[in-house]
Amino acid sequence: NFQAIQMAAEAGASSFMLNVCGQIESVELPHYDYIFLIYQFVHGDDWERVLGLEEGVSQLSSKSADVRGLHAFAFPVEVTFKSTNPHGWPQLVVTALGTDIWGNQVVRGYSVCHLPMQPGRVTKRVPLFAPQSSSLMSKLQGLMQSEHPLYTDPKILGQGQGRQVTRVRSLGQMTLNFSTSMKNTRALGYQLLPGENFGAAAAM
Amino acid sequence: MSEPAAPDSAGASAEDLHESERLRSAVKTKHDTKKKRLRKRLQETLPATEGDADMQAAQARVSQRLRLSQTDVRDDGGDGAGAGANADGETVADSATAPPTEADSKSTKPPKQKSKMTAKAMRRQKLEEEQRQAEERRRLEAEEAAVSAAATVGGGGLSREDRLTRFDTATVQELRQSKADRTVKLAKLSWDALREKKELTEEEQVGFFANAVWEEDEDSAAAAAAADSGGTDRVDGDTGAAEDGDILVFETEKVYLHRAIVQEEADESQLYFYPSTDAQPPVTLDSPCDPAAEGLYVGRRPRVGEGNILRLQNILTIKADLYEEKKDWIGEDGQLRILPDPLRDVPMRPLIFEEELEDPTQQPPELQREYRSARRWDSPFANLERETPWQLEVDIGSVQFLAHPLFTLEHSAVSRLRQLYAVYAKFEKLNFPAYFRDRVAAIRRELGKLDQEVARQERSQQRNQRVLADCRARIDVFRSELETTRQSRLRAEAEHYSRLIELIEAWREVRTIRQEAGFSVTDIRCDIEETVQSKSQDEQDRRAEVAEWLEERRAAAQTRYERQMEAYAVERRDFETRREEYERVRLRMEQSGLETADFEEQPPVEPQMESLEEFGQQLDRLVRLGEDEHGQVTCLRRQPGEPLVRFRLLENSNVPTPLDQIPAPHRQAEELRRNKMESLFTYCLRIYADDKLVGPTDFVTLSSNFMLHFNRVSLVEVVQPPTKIRLDLVQCQRGRISTQTKVIGHVTLPKPDSQTTRVQVNMSELRFTYKSDDRATAAGDANPAEAAAVFEGVVRARCGWRCDSDGNILAPALKVYDPQLEMYIENPDASRDKPVRLTELKDPNDPWYVRLNYHGYLGEDADAAAKVDLAGYCRFNFFEEEFDFCGREDLEADSRFKAIVMRDRAQLTTEVTKGAPMPPYASMINRKWVEDPKREPDSVVKARVSKLEKMRLNYERKMAHVREQVLDAFNLAKNYRSYDEVIKEASAVFVNIFTLIRSLFSRKRPLKPIREVSSSPTPFTPVTQLNLSINIQNGADFPQPNDKSVLKPFVEATFQGNSLRTATARGTNPDWSASIELPFRPTSAGQKPETISDELVLTVFNDMSYTQTAEGGQQDLSSVIVREKHFLASIAIPFSAIYINEKVKGRLQLRMPEFLMGYGASASEAASADGQQSKKRRHSPALKVFISLQPHLARPTLLQQTFDTAHDSARQWVHNTKQSIAILNEQVKKTRLELQSDPNKAADEFLYNPRAFVVSMEVKEVFVSCYMVKGGMPPPPELFQRGSQGEVTDLELKKAIVARYVSLVPFVSDASAFPGLVDIWNTCEEFLDYQAGDEEEHAVLLANYLTHLTSGGADTQIYLALGNAVPEGATAYVIEMTGNEKFVWNASTGFRYKAQSDRSTLVSIDCLINSDGVYINRKPYEEARALNNPLDGKTHWLHIPKPESATFDCIQQPIDYGTDAVLASEIGNIEYDIELAVRKEIESLRARVPTLWYNGGAKDVRELLKALETYHYDPNNQAIATAKEAHNRMFGSKVIVGYPLQMSYKSTKEILNDVRNTKLHEIGMYVDSKNTVPKVQFSCVVYVHQYPKNVLSIWINLMALKK
């Protein structure tokens, strides 16, 4: 194994690869009907997207008729990153958009989660939240003009800065699953052991 | 029945608690024994079946009696037991409180018992009757049954008498066995019988199970009755029983008795449980329910694992909602509801036949609640229950005699040598000298750090006194520690040295003995290594040591002296005041004619600096000679030049001389001795474990070097770990008849802790001594000498637990109760030995080592110290270095880390890295990323690092530090986002109706010009193609050529080496209306445009092109047009100013040389002719321009970073002030928008940034008025001295001089260094000290000076003005107001303008500042020319007065002008360097053609320059005139161009830049057809004028002369 590492280092493994394929399975947003999702990735300086879509827009979904109010999306997310540094590990930012009574597109919720750091299969449940109006007046205005508060750039959710000025309300949950594989992490000296589902996939 | 107990208890209550407990337990024992005896007696006397009525009567009597007696007990002796009111059902029985608890529960009997008695008894009798009937029936059946059942029936069918007799004879085992068998069967039978009956109600069931057990039964009642009757003899019997040791009867019935407890001889009262024979205790708070009374406690439950119960309970309680239907699984007692017997479907009690019991008052064993005293799982006895004994191994190595009767002289010498060597070897291993050396070095390092810290603290402006004091205190401590350590080191070295000497002496002795005897009997040899040392080196080291020591002492003494002086100063002041007071009183008294006396108090003694001379001598003596102050040699060290000696003792390397080689006289004696050694004595060691002999060793004879080799491991099996293991050395002397045995020494082996195996322990060397003083044996002994023998020796042995084959240590893990922790802990021995274990780990961070170091040295813990190698473990900051995963140097050297840090600080942008991610290895980092762009060293600096340069470097270093702090603050600020940046939402719109209506009423005009809003600016990117667009409109006041020719000026714009010029205009007020575009390229990718320091230089030349004719003088083909530019004036605008202000628009004041040869003479003559105008300063030429960037660039975002305020105590005020300024700012912004959208008001855009707080050098916000001194600061008086012409007295001239002085302080911009316009404001002192600063520093200093100058004047007000100027943009000026006269001073150029004049470069004013407060302009859009007096009113100015608080004290420090004057010779050097550099530059620029230098007339030129500098305020001064005349005479005829450049002291590069921009070198740079050398000579003269505080004025006179 050590030899393999050596060889990888000698072969000039100057970066490691992260391949994540997964799915946004479903969203539980019982209050809203007709929503669709946009996903984006936020990652650090040292990360480079090699393959896969930068942004994806899903189909429009109507909620299930039962009490769950479930939106099933089965929306595939597949992306390959290349990096030299685990700092700035990519995050998936999902924006749920819907139409309001005026027929305008409004934001229904945001959610963000890191891509898994371990090889293997992971199912995640991530809560959704949406920013709130700063005042009653602007809320009314927003209702009238269908201008609900929204983040100027959803990617801000991937950073820790500047969120203290916002107020949000939690809405529902999103279920995702990811299958992750990695390459060369050990050659660069990072040890990422399979976590939740041990033994599901092999490192390297 | 407790009558006898009562007085005992009563007596006990007076005693201490322990005593009473003991007594009580004794009483109880008696009580029980007594009961039993009585019962037996009763059974004998009374018939088995008695009448019910008798029974009841007896019971009633007994209970009555009982109540009485127990009340007595409670009253008398119950107070000790009053605390424990627990029922006997208590499970946790604290050993201390258990006896009183029991006693108490006994004494508190329920009163209800009696009333229920009859009913219960009756019911019970009925039941019994039924049972008996059933039994009878069964017995009959059984008798009829088969033979196989005979045994059972026989067992069950024993008659009561039978059983009784049987009990008397049966052994306990038999009884138990039969009882168990019977119980099972009978229970079955009885249940069947009950089931058959069917009519048993539930209540009856419960009653049956519960009450039958606890009810007072007949026997005890009878016993009580008997007790009632039989009084005194019972007491006798009791005492007798107690003495009989009758307690042992209980042993068969004991509830729980651990054998370990017997070993511990524990108080038996704690071990026994006495189930109450009385009725159930009342329901109290402590025992809410009695399971028995509740009918719940029936029989024995089937065992359910505790874990299972807990799990189930957990499930049922935590997940209650999920397991709703299973809620009643757990009963009220918290236990699982299960049947006691899984074989039955109804809870039932095993049937007990009371008559079976030998003691009816006792509970039948099946129903006895088993009492287990609460014990901890980690009890010390937990591990002792073990069948196989523990195994201890005692390893006995050898015994070495150090003294023995058979020792020869040589032997004893060798023995001594050996002992000395052992000490020496141990000492050498510890290596204390090295340890102390390390320690000294470490302390010195630490001291150095502290010194630096203190210096830093003292330097900093806002020093924290407490931190400083703390640092100083620590320094003191460290110093004293250092001194101690040095002493210790000396001592340690001396000790080492003396040991060595002793050792060598001892060795010499051995050698002498051997030589004298001629043979040797020992096998020891010595090896002495010597390392030669250089004497001079040693001397040097010693001297260095002394010097260091002395220096430290001096520093300490100095500090002490300073402190004393401070104290003295205070004392002295006190004394003075007291004396003055006294004198005053005395004067008064004398005046009134009273007797007076002199002031008698002595002044305090001034402390003297401690003289170090004597100490130095002492130290010298001590270090070099080892003498103390009395001249005694106390610590002798290795003398310089003496070799380093290492001593080694080699055993078994020398064969003792064989007998036949021994010289004859000694041979016989020696032979005898050797024989004796071999045959006379044998020795063995006896091993004792806790004084129990566990085994002797074999008998061993002495070896030739008096050693006994045992080498044996003996196994000791123990049940309990022994407290000690003793070894006795036994000597057997073989006599002819009998063998004499005597113990000649014993040693005790250390007890091994439970985790140590034999192999892990090192052999310990244990000494023994034995001195036979047995006279009796001596008399009988053959050899009296031997009888008085002294035995002394060392036993090498060790002891440890054995490991079995699986590696388990066969040792008890004994736990010990720790009273402090209140729990059982691991063997404390183990924890005490733990650090010794750590030595194997070699963890240098363990603070234990510190202790070890000290202890080891002080000899407190010599054994532990011996095991540790102390060297290399001296440190003061534990956990500091070892926790770094790599060293600081490694981090600094690692380019990847550096690059990441730079990227984090936004110093390394993606443009530099080209978007590539950070490579994973340092080797892959591009060097260019991380290396600082090195500035080429300044040639002047390189030549001589003068004082001035040092100042400059200091300033830069300081600024770099400040810059870093500011950058950090900004990086922090970047993380902060406003709401608008993050969230986009519908803004609540308030519709202003008026604006809607106004449009209805406004006049309709056919043409409605709409002000075009400039196109949206593009953000700056390095790839943007940028042009500098320069629109030059016109100029004014250019000098007139003397020859009356028309001036033909043109403007040349130079930026980044690109030059473009306008067309040539004509006249002194030319109009170019030209537009020039210069390309802009960023010097380095990723550089922020606001930090680009390139300058746009606009130079105005006189176009002197002429046609150079050939030799013939005819204009022909060979003639050339010579384009000569004569420098007139210039200005440099930094790019950042253009970028930040978006544009530069307005009239630029050009800098023109003081005079231009051949120009302006007429003007000046005209001026001098006109007396009125002579006073007026000449206007410098001006240029009206419009400069902007194409395309339009966005202004850099102004990060409004708030720093920590310096006014801690007035945070609220600061906050409020900022708030009000922000409100004003908003208003102004609104007005500005209105103005801009209003076409009628052609208002310019302006920057408005009023500030009341500025950032000081400490990166803290300071109220700006604190920079202004009330009353101003006095300028250096030397400024006004004018040698022969006396002092300048005119106020206006003084002002001019001061302005000139201030402007000469070099201008170094700091604005461009910081993103977002953060200015760091230095104080005037710093400004002058560093000789660098930008506009605001100049302005502050000038304002302070002017305030001082005008303070005597009537109504002159001086303000510091923050505002906008052309071309600087946001800047600071000084404004002077005298009545209606208002002047504007540009402090960095020294120019003064009238505020109303259109030449004033100050465009707008944001705020005015003086020492009293800040006036903020409410209407900044009104130009500065319409300057209103701030005192006029509130309409124009928002006044923020400076609060009257100490925190707002002026921060300016008085300036000391006197110090650090640069020497005249150095000035000369600077002059020379500059001149050389200028000449070289011009030559290099004229590389194509030769450059000729004219060196004449330099003295005249210098005279002129000096005059110009000295009388700059007065151009018509006589001195200038005469100098000019001389100059004119010298050069007038042949000058082509000539002008002096005047500048402040800048870097050589900037000076050369200025020179280059004059384009002097282009003169005469033509080459005509004949290749004649141009007939031009150059002259360059440099004059440096020195002002106070090393402010230099540099003059460079440049001339091009006709040859």
Side-chain angles (χ1 to χ4, degrees), chain A residues 9 13-15 45-46 48 84-85 131-134 137-138 141-142 145 147-152 156 159 161-162 164-166 187-188 190, chain B residues 896 900 903-904 908 910 915-921 924 971-972 974-991:
Chain A
S14 61
S15 58
D45 296 340
D46 294 332
E48 192 185 329
T84 57
N85 197 347
Q132 291 294 94
S133 298
S134 54
M137 196 64 201
S138 65
Q141 194 101 21
Q145 303 179 343
E147 268 191 49
H148 291 287
L150 56 106
Y151 284 108
T152 48
I156 208 166
Q159 300 156 0
Q161 303 145 359
Q164 70 272 33
V165 298
T166 66
L188 293 186
Y190 301 113
Chain B
R896 181 166 188 256
I900 288 175
R903 189 175 66 177
D904 209 38
L908 184 71
T910 45
M918 188 61 61
Y921 301 111
M924 294 161 84
N971 282 335
L972 267 179
K974 251 194 235 161
N975 296 344
Y976 181 81
R977 285 170 206 232
S978 67
Y979 183 76
D980 296 334
E981 281 176 294
V982 179
I983 298 260
K984 201 158 78 187
E985 68 170 347
S987 56
V989 178
F990 297 99
V991 183

Side-chain angles (χ1 to χ4, degrees), chain B residues 265-365:
Chain B
E265 295 178 4
D267 188 356
E268 58 181 25
S269 65
Q270 299 169 28
L271 305 174
Y272 292 60
F273 173 64
Y274 303 92
S276 170
T277 53
D278 311 321
Q280 71 266 41
V283 175
T284 64
L285 200 64
D286 297 312
S287 62
C289 67
D290 185 351
E294 301 280 331
L296 294 166
Y297 190 84
V298 279
R300 186 163 40 82
R301 294 166 181 278
R303 207 190 105 72
V304 180
E306 198 179 12
N308 284 338
I309 291 178
L310 288 176
R311 208 166 295 143
L312 191 67
Q313 284 178 346
N314 189 35
I315 287 171
L316 294 183
T317 51
I318 305 290
K319 301 188 175 173
D321 50 340
L322 284 175
Y323 297 93
E324 188 65 51
E325 72 276 13
K326 292 164 191 163
K327 229 174 183 176
D328 49 2
W329 281 22
I330 303 286
E332 291 155 81
D333 54 350
Q335 293 280 323
L336 206 57
R337 278 180 205 261
I338 44 172
L339 284 172
D341 190 343
L343 299 176
R344 312 208 179 283
D345 46 1
V346 179
M348 72 167 285
R349 180 194 105 161
L351 192 66
I352 308 296
F353 297 101
E354 239 155 66
E355 52 274 23
E356 291 176 35
L357 298 170
E358 95 274 24
D359 184 354
T361 51
Q362 287 292 319
Q363 294 291 330

Side-chain angles (χ1 to χ4, degrees), chain B residues 791-1079:
Chain B
F791 292 95
E792 206 179 329
V794 172
V795 179
R796 281 167 54 81
R798 61 184 170 181
C799 172
W801 297 98
R802 195 175 158 199
C803 259
D804 64 7
S805 52
D806 301 333
N808 297 324
I809 300 173
L810 297 172
L814 192 67
K815 293 185 178 177
V816 174
Y817 187 76
D818 186 341
Q820 265 135 34
L821 296 173
E822 292 187 339
M823 61 182 293
Y824 286 95
I825 54 163
E826 289 290 333
N827 195 343
D829 293 347
S831 65
R832 203 186 310 135
D833 282 343
K834 213 172 160 195
V836 180
R837 286 282 169 78
L838 265 180
T839 60
E840 290 152 25
L841 297 172
K842 291 264 178 199
D843 179 4
N845 285 315
D846 191 347
W848 195 83
Y849 275 83
V850 178
R851 210 159 49 93
L852 198 68
N853 288 348
Y854 285 118
H855 286 193
Y857 183 64
L858 299 173
E860 284 177 24
D861 200 358
D863 280 348
K867 289 176 190 167
V868 191
D869 184 12
L870 292 175
Y873 289 116
C874 183
R875 64 191 63 226
F876 288 94
N877 293 321
F878 284 99
F879 312 114
E880 200 177 60
E881 286 160 29
E882 267 67 19
F883 279 77
D884 294 344
F885 63 91
C886 66
R888 194 165 290 280
E889 295 81 18
D890 295 341
L891 268 188
E892 271 162 16
D894 185 67
S895 50
R896 181 166 188 256
F897 180 74
K898 214 171 180 180
I900 288 175
V901 168
M902 279 173 73
R903 189 175 66 177
D904 209 38
R905 307 182 123 234
Q907 288 165 342
L908 184 71
T909 52
T910 45
E911 286 78 36
V912 182
T913 59
K914 298 191 183 69
M918 188 61 61
Y921 301 111
S923 57
M924 294 161 84
I925 299 273
N926 194 340
R927 286 271 145 211
K928 278 182 205 155
W929 295 0
V930 286
E931 267 163 20
D932 297 329
K934 280 259 164 22
R935 265 171 299 153
E936 66 273 24
D938 201 318
S939 57
V940 172
V941 178
K942 212 172 178 183
R944 293 171 226 288
V945 183
S946 66
K947 201 166 229 162
L948 294 168
E949 285 304 331
K950 274 184 202 154
M951 278 194 294
R952 182 76 50 82
L953 289 175
N954 269 346
Y955 174 75
E956 277 172 15
R957 225 171 290 140
K958 176 91 185 172
M959 282 316 282
H961 175 69
V962 172
R963 204 168 295 145
E964 230 158 64
Q965 276 183 298
V966 173
L967 260 182
D968 283 348
F970 273 109
N971 282 335
L972 267 179
K974 251 194 235 161
N975 296 344
Y976 181 81
R977 285 170 206 232
S978 67
Y979 183 76
D980 296 334
E981 281 176 294
V982 179
I983 298 260
K984 201 158 78 187
E985 68 170 347
S987 56
V989 178
F990 297 99
V991 183
N992 191 343
I993 301 167
F994 291 106
T995 49
L996 289 175
I997 297 172
R998 195 162 68 180
S999 63
L1000 298 175
F1001 291 98
S1002 64
R1003 194 193 289 166
K1004 299 276 187 300
R1005 289 194 300 179
L1007 282 177
K1008 196 163 187 179
I1010 294 163
R1011 207 178 151 84
E1012 193 188 328
V1013 181
S1014 53
S1015 57
S1016 62
T1018 49
F1020 177 82
T1021 52
V1023 286
T1024 322
Q1025 181 57 48
L1026 277 179
N1027 280 328
L1028 265 181
S1029 167
I1030 305 146
N1031 196 326
I1032 298 162
Q1033 290 163 8
N1034 53 39
D1037 294 327
F1038 287 108
Q1040 176 72 29
N1042 285 353
D1043 54 1
K1044 307 290 181 197
S1045 62
V1046 184
L1047 186 73
K1048 290 182 276 183
F1050 67 91
V1051 183
E1052 194 172 278
T1054 312
F1055 183 64
Q1056 290 185 334
N1058 296 325
S1059 294
L1060 276 177
R1061 54 163 283 185
T1062 61
T1064 309
R1066 296 174 83 83
T1068 51
N1069 294 316
D1071 190 349
W1072 288 286
S1073 298
S1075 189
I1076 296 171
E1077 292 226 336
L1078 281 172

Side-chain angles (χ1 to χ4, degrees), chain B residues 564-581 599 601-605:
Chain B
Q564 280 170 349
M565 275 309 276
E566 271 171 35
Y568 168 73
V570 174
E571 240 175 77
R572 181 86 201 183
R573 219 176 308 123
D574 281 357
F575 171 75
E576 294 293 341
T577 43
R578 272 204 308 280
R579 195 171 62 181
E580 272 170 31
E581 183 66 23
F599 188 64
E601 205 177 319
Q602 291 299 313
V605 188

